Amino acid sequence: GNSVTQMEGPVTLSEEAFLTINCTYTATGYPSLFWYVQYPGEGLQLLLKATKADDKGSNKGFEATYRKETTSFHLEKGSVQVSDSAVYFCALTRTSNTGKLIFGQGTTLQVKP
Amino acid sequence: GAGVSQSPSNKVTEKGKDVELRCDPISGHTALYWYRQSLGQGLEFLIYFQGNSAPDKSGLPSDRFSAERTGGSVSTLTIQRTQQEDSAVYLCASSLGREQVYGYTFGSGTRLTVV
């Protein structure tokens, strides 16, 4: 079946540090891949997405590249800020299904000043 | 409205009671999804509505869970005879269509605590 695996958190970094949150997936066919972010007390928000192999999604300084050969979609940011502290979810959806998202467990990021 | 609205934001109920959770999607969004977010479990798909089509109920964990969507707009998720393992945040999302094309908008969720 389809599934998403994320690195376990929490991840604690100092401000301006480099961030990587690993995400790998298992899916038949050609999924679309997403990163969602949940800031404290708020709903989930789409951060970025990629719909085909080798696509790079980017937003707010975050990037992730759809790697079909390694079935990965790792999230990176060159210099994190305290305001990036949140829970990050990797997700996939299949074009042939209803469009429902399959989420990873979530990774909590805490950035300290 | 401007966003997806869920009510109540918090609900504490006694084990064995029934609860109803409400979702008001963005006006004009034909797709509506319910997810459950449990501590340490990530987000679990529950049910999907698309226009007038039969809903995809494949994620409902037991027959105690049901959902309806009236007039293609407001949706209600009902949990009968609540159990402690039902404690979670229940999230609703709406979309113009498939996520990979249009994207979802999530509500802030209803935190359900069964005591």
Side-chain angles (χ1 to χ4, degrees):
Chain A
N2 302 320
S3 66
V4 177
T5 303
Q6 290 180 234
M7 63 187 289
E8 288 193 23
V11 174
T12 303
L13 295 174
S14 298
E15 205 164 23
E16 299 183 3
F18 185 86
L19 168 71
T20 300
I21 300 178
N22 290 337
C23 170
T24 57
Y25 67 90
T26 301
T28 55
Y30 304 95
S32 295
L33 302 173
F34 305 84
W35 278 99
Y36 275 81
V37 58
Q38 188 174 32
Y39 297 104
E42 298 185 16
L44 281 161
Q45 303 172 28
L46 178 65
L47 180 60
L48 53 85
K49 67 179 179 182
T51 57
K52 61 182 187 295
D54 300 325
D55 269 3
K56 178 185 283 187
S58 61
N59 186 24
K60 299 181 181 180
F62 291 89
E63 292 184 339
T65 301
Y66 188 148
R67 301 287 188 198
K68 190 166 176 62
E69 63 276 14
T70 54
T71 61
S72 65
F73 193 55
H74 304 322
L75 182 69
E76 296 182 336
K77 186 174 185 182
S79 176
V80 293
Q81 305 300 311
V82 172
S83 57
D84 294 325
S85 298
V87 183
Y88 292 82
F89 292 91
C90 186
L92 68 81
T93 188
R94 290 276 319 282
T95 55
S96 62
N97 72 0
T98 54
K100 65 189 181 192
L101 285 165
I102 297 168
F103 286 90
Q105 303 278 66
T107 302
T108 300
L109 170 65
Q110 185 176 25
V111 181
K112 297 189 173 181
Chain B
V4 176
S5 178
Q6 291 188 246
S7 60
S9 55
N10 281 284
K11 176 73 177 179
V12 180
T13 190
E14 292 181 353
K15 178 181 173 181
K17 301 282 190 184
D18 298 351
V19 294
E20 286 189 350
L21 312 180
R22 178 187 168 102
C23 173
D24 277 287
I26 292 173
S27 178
H29 279 194
T30 58
L32 188 147
Y33 299 78
W34 283 97
Y35 284 82
R36 178 168 70 175
Q37 184 176 17
S38 304
L39 191 63
Q41 297 296 317
L43 285 98
E44 174 188 10
F45 167 77
L46 297 177
I47 189 169
Y48 162 64
F49 296 90
Q50 173 61 57
N52 295 321
S53 302
D56 175 356
K57 303 179 182 180
S58 60
L60 294 178
S62 78
D63 59 8
R64 296 186 295 104
F65 287 73
S66 62
E68 62 178 20
R69 188 178 184 192
T70 53
S73 181
V74 172
S75 177
T76 303
L77 177 68
T78 301
I79 308 173
Q80 296 178 311
R81 306 181 300 283
T82 52
Q83 303 295 313
Q84 288 186 329
E85 61 263 28
D86 299 334
S87 296
V89 177
Y90 289 82
L91 294 170
C92 176
S94 72
S95 173
L96 282 170
R98 291 185 170 184
E99 154 64 277
Q100 55 267 38
V101 178
Y102 299 105
Y104 289 7
T105 300
F106 279 86
S108 296
T110 294
R111 181 177 297 278
L112 175 66
T113 304
V114 181
V115 297

